[in-house]
Amino acid sequence: MNATVDTRTEIEWVSQNNKLVSYADAKISVMAPGLTFAALVFEGYRAYWSDDAQDLYIFRLDDHMRRLAFSMNLLELDDPPSIDTFTRDILETLKANDFKEDTYIRLQVYVDEWGSMLATGPVGSTVICRPRPRVSDFDTGKRFIVSSWRRNAENASPPRIKASANYLNSRLAGLEAKRQGAGGAILLNEDGTVSEGPGGCLFVLRDGVFMTPDVTSGILESVTRRTILDIAGPLDIPVAERALGRTELYLADEAFYCGTGQEIMPIIAFDGRQVGEGVPGPMTRRLQTTFDDIVRGRSDAYRNWLTPVYHG
Ligand SMILES: Cc1ncc(COP(=O)(O)O)c(C=O)c1O
């Protein structure tokens, strides 16, 4: 049994079609296009527990919602619920479960009932929240490989939207890394430049500049990646968004993987080649510390990125 299955038993309430139901009662049709043809888009958010405030803070909720709206738009769903309704669903579900620890929120929107590949409704939605502590490799970092799979292309299955269909590509790369005993994978795009990993974006440090593949490199427009770019300036850490060659991974002095689930995860090797000293680098550490202060409400400057759940 893995950790994901263990935490499931702790979930009492989920929201389905904008109403609270018990986890056991949340159902979709076995012939739903959301299942049979992956007509499903989703968002993953994190809510952070603050001991000081005795509150849970959802991180950059509005930015995730903007991406959800874009994903739903591209899927051409019939009249989906509004962003305000989804926001209410998330707050209700967190409160119903009375979570007082770091929590991951998955909101998914899909075509339900028996339907064809081109069905655009009826639209169903679910909000599932579960405890999710910080990953253990946050401190030690992970060894990555460059996958032999290519990132799905913008003009085939656009990585820019958070569609479950895109995660076949992610799964193939992730399984390849697992088979090789690595902690993660990086995919190259059709052009042969670096895109991202199965569930996160990438930054590498060269000559004192943290570089990340630009948004036309076949990546999800990650909220965490945006956050790093936003906070780097005030920290006097130079950053650049540009196409990144594979060999630049091997030349990196520091590197990290980032996303809502992984937060800022140091990468200590690519394809068995050590990154820098082979341990998480000092600039990565600085970003991790600043990020943690922000998400737990210890930084006044970025307070507007937090949505309080219990004392809002
Ligand atoms: C493919 C992919 N890229 C990047 C990310 C990081 O995006 P975000 O920072 O918005 O969570 C994720 C995870 O959520 C992802 O699944």
Side-chain angles (χ1 to χ4, degrees):
M1 216 184 226
N2 64 33
T4 314
V5 176
D6 283 345
T7 55
R8 189 187 63 180
T9 56
E10 294 168 29
I11 300 170
E12 219 177 324
W13 297 103
V14 302
S15 173
Q16 182 160 46
N17 298 333
N18 320 112
K19 282 190 229 44
L20 283 175
V21 294
S22 74
Y23 174 76
D25 289 337
K27 301 270 187 300
I28 68 163
S29 161
V30 290
M31 286 306 284
L35 179 69
T36 52
F37 297 108
L40 184 151
V41 290
F42 68 102
E43 264 310 317
Y45 318 70
R46 239 186 208 275
Y48 290 89
W49 178 248
S50 161
D51 267 334
D52 296 341
Q54 292 291 298
D55 208 347
L56 203 53
Y57 294 128
I58 306 172
F59 186 58
R60 297 192 80 161
L61 177 70
D62 295 347
D63 297 294
H64 282 283
M65 287 302 192
R66 256 192 291 282
R67 189 170 65 192
L68 176 73
F70 178 57
S71 298
M72 291 193 301
N73 183 319
L74 214 71
L75 212 62
E76 300 191 33
L77 296 174
D78 289 346
D79 198 21
S82 69
I83 294 302
D84 283 350
T85 302
F86 283 141
T87 300
R88 195 207 60 206
D89 291 345
I90 289 177
L91 290 170
E92 256 182 25
T93 311
L94 288 168
K95 285 181 191 164
N97 287 288
D98 198 28
F99 285 127
K100 299 213 160 66
E101 59 197 300
D102 291 359
T103 303
Y104 188 79
I105 302 153
R106 182 181 166 102
L107 165 54
Q108 44 192 22
V109 189
Y110 45 86
V111 182
D112 204 351
E113 305 302 340
W114 191 313
S116 74
M117 188 167 58
L118 301 183
T120 50
V123 174
S125 64
T126 44
V127 175
I128 305 107
C129 307
R130 64 177 170 91
R132 185 163 179 186
R134 174 158 286 166
V135 291
S136 55
D137 310 284
F138 186 85
D139 287 328
T140 52
K142 275 186 175 173
R143 307 172 75 81
F144 273 52
I145 59 157
V146 175
S147 174
S148 63
W149 295 97
R150 289 290 166 112
R151 190 78 180 116
N152 37 282
E154 164 76 7
N155 60 1
S157 184
R160 198 185 301 279
I161 66 163
K162 211 159 167 60
S164 64
N166 288 340
Y167 288 81
L168 166 61
N169 182 243
S170 292
R171 182 178 167 86
L172 292 171
L175 288 173
E176 183 181 18
K178 194 172 163 193
R179 254 193 316 278
Q180 295 186 19
I186 294 299
L187 290 131
L188 305 181
N189 58 33
E190 283 298 301
D191 300 335
T193 61
V194 175
S195 65
E196 60 176 346
C201 286
L202 173 75
F203 281 79
V204 298
L205 183 76
R206 277 193 70 200
D207 300 328
V209 181
F210 261 122
M211 293 175 302
T212 188
D214 63 84
V215 292
T216 59
S217 290
I219 64 168
L220 180 73
E221 293 185 353
S222 152
V223 174
T224 318
R225 172 185 175 281
R226 182 69 258 159
T227 301
I228 309 292
L229 295 171
D230 291 341
I231 66 176
L235 290 174
D236 281 330
I237 297 180
V239 284
E241 299 173 79
R242 67 159 173 82
L244 216 63
R246 176 177 184 162
T247 51
E248 294 188 275
L249 305 180
Y250 307 136
L251 297 171
D253 298 316
E254 294 188 26
F256 63 84
Y257 191 51
C258 69
T260 298
Q262 313 295 321
E263 304 175 275
I264 297 174
M265 146 84 65
I267 298 176
I268 54 172
F270 289 109
D271 290 333
R273 292 161 189 255
Q274 185 171 300
V275 173
E277 304 295 313
V279 292
M283 306 263 274
T284 304
R285 286 279 186 239
R286 254 184 96 201
L287 285 167
Q288 283 181 315
T289 306
T290 306
F291 183 80
D292 198 55
D293 284 341
I294 292 171
V295 299
R296 292 188 198 279
R298 292 191 294 260
S299 166
D300 287 340
Y302 299 100
R303 242 351 224 253
N304 60 332
W305 282 347
L306 306 180
T307 303
V309 173
Y310 295 113
H311 308 300

